[in-house]
Amino acid sequence: MRTAVLNAPRKLDLVDRSRPVAGPGEVVIRTAATAVCHTDLSIYVGEHPGVKYPVVMGHESTGVIDSLGEGVSEVKPGQHVIINPIIACGRCDSCLRGAGNLCRVAGLFGREVEGSLSQYVKLQSQYIHVLPPRLPLEQATIIETLATVRHAQHRVGVSTAESVVVLGQGTAGLLHTRLAVLTGATPVIAVTRTRWKLEMAERMGAHHVIEASVDKADAQKLLDLINEVDAAWKKTGGEEKTRVAGRPS
């Protein structure tokens, strides 16, 4: 099989390796798609702290189950899956209380643990989740990011009829905007410095979009503008959309 190995910052090599064999409790996954995020970029250019090279990157990944190890019965070959990239130790206090996502010594698939820039990967079966067959595997890579967005909104308690402001409309920001709209928050105000992202935010259902290049001097002005939009929305009963371009004044 082919594997992309980052031997040093900006030095990525394709190498031939033997296909992994599933041991007890393990599954072998044929990689279908891997998304690239800023963590991968910082590892690639050598700016991510603590990374030991060589490393096989890739942590936002989907694939198809190729084979099963002894004792694995909850899944079957051919199923589409997404990989949970947080590889927990299973022994610390967080893991023992069922909070493996807070593992004190967790490794990240694609950083401390070899990741998905390989045709096949081997994992403990607990780190895969079966996907509906109708969901395209390329699109499903975004689920890992969406999960962090959902977790954040759950923690802050976003709910129906609350006003929500999302600062920045990159991938996570757009997901925040869309999820807040689906939750029933009103109004949802999207703020970005990039004009084309205004249109993306509108497509995600944002009730108002604001284009603003904000430095420290402008921060209070932007906050005042957001409050004005929020107040106007509530006064009109949510009947109008607002699009504000340029720096707040």
Side-chain angles (χ1 to χ4, degrees):
M1 69 174 186
R2 306 303 299 279
T3 299
V5 179
L6 187 67
N7 286 299
R10 300 179 184 271
K11 184 172 174 50
L12 192 65
D13 296 312
L14 279 176
V15 301
D16 290 314
R17 287 184 171 182
S18 299
R19 185 185 299 191
V21 176
E26 295 177 334
V27 295
V28 171
I29 307 298
R30 176 172 56 82
T31 303
T34 296
V36 176
C37 77
H38 199 273
T39 297
D40 301 298
L41 177 60
S42 63
I43 293 172
Y44 177 75
V45 300
E47 295 178 353
H48 196 80
V51 174
K52 296 180 180 179
Y53 300 90
V55 61
V56 178
M57 297 186 296
H59 65 277
E60 297 179 356
S61 314
T62 58
V64 179
I65 297 177
D66 178 72
S67 58
L68 310 176
E70 181 183 351
V72 179
S73 59
E74 67 275 15
V75 293
K76 59 184 179 181
Q79 286 183 306
H80 292 185
V81 296
I82 188 169
I83 293 171
N84 174 4
I86 305 300
I87 311 300
C89 74
R91 299 181 300 275
C92 69
D93 58 330
S94 294
C95 288
L96 292 176
R97 69 171 185 268
N101 61 308
L102 301 178
C103 175
R104 297 184 183 277
V105 292
L108 180 69
F109 186 65
R111 189 179 61 197
E112 287 81 21
V113 180
E114 290 198 345
S116 61
L117 292 188
S118 187
Q119 288 181 295
Y120 293 86
V121 297
K122 181 175 69 172
L123 291 158
Q124 289 288 319
S125 63
Q126 70 196 70
Y127 295 113
I128 62 170
H129 301 277
V130 176
L131 296 169
R134 67 181 182 277
L135 182 61
L137 290 170
E138 294 84 358
Q139 296 178 19
T141 58
I142 202 69
I143 291 175
E144 192 267 352
T145 306
L146 178 60
T148 65
V149 170
R150 173 67 180 89
H151 180 65
Q153 293 200 11
H154 177 73
R155 291 196 66 179
V156 300
V158 174
S159 60
T160 302
E162 274 195 328
S163 56
V164 171
V165 178
V166 182
L167 300 177
Q169 295 296 304
T171 300
L174 288 167
L175 289 173
H176 270 293
T177 295
R178 183 58 182 161
L179 186 57
V181 170
L182 292 175
T183 301
T186 53
V188 175
I189 304 170
V191 182
T192 178
R193 296 178 296 178
T194 308
R195 188 174 295 271
W196 65 266
K197 290 181 180 178
L198 296 178
E199 298 176 0
M200 292 289 292
E202 288 180 325
R203 287 168 57 186
M204 293 296 105
H207 303 111
H208 308 288
V209 293
I210 298 174
E211 180 189 7
S213 178
V214 184
D215 54 30
K216 290 183 179 179
D218 284 328
Q220 185 59 50
K221 294 180 181 179
L222 176 60
L223 181 60
D224 292 342
L225 179 59
I226 289 170
N227 288 334
E228 289 176 14
V229 171
D230 188 16
W233 169 269
K234 291 177 179 177
K235 184 176 180 180
T236 62
E239 296 178 354
E240 297 183 3
K241 283 197 171 188
T242 304
R243 183 169 183 154
V244 182
R247 297 169 68 89
S249 59

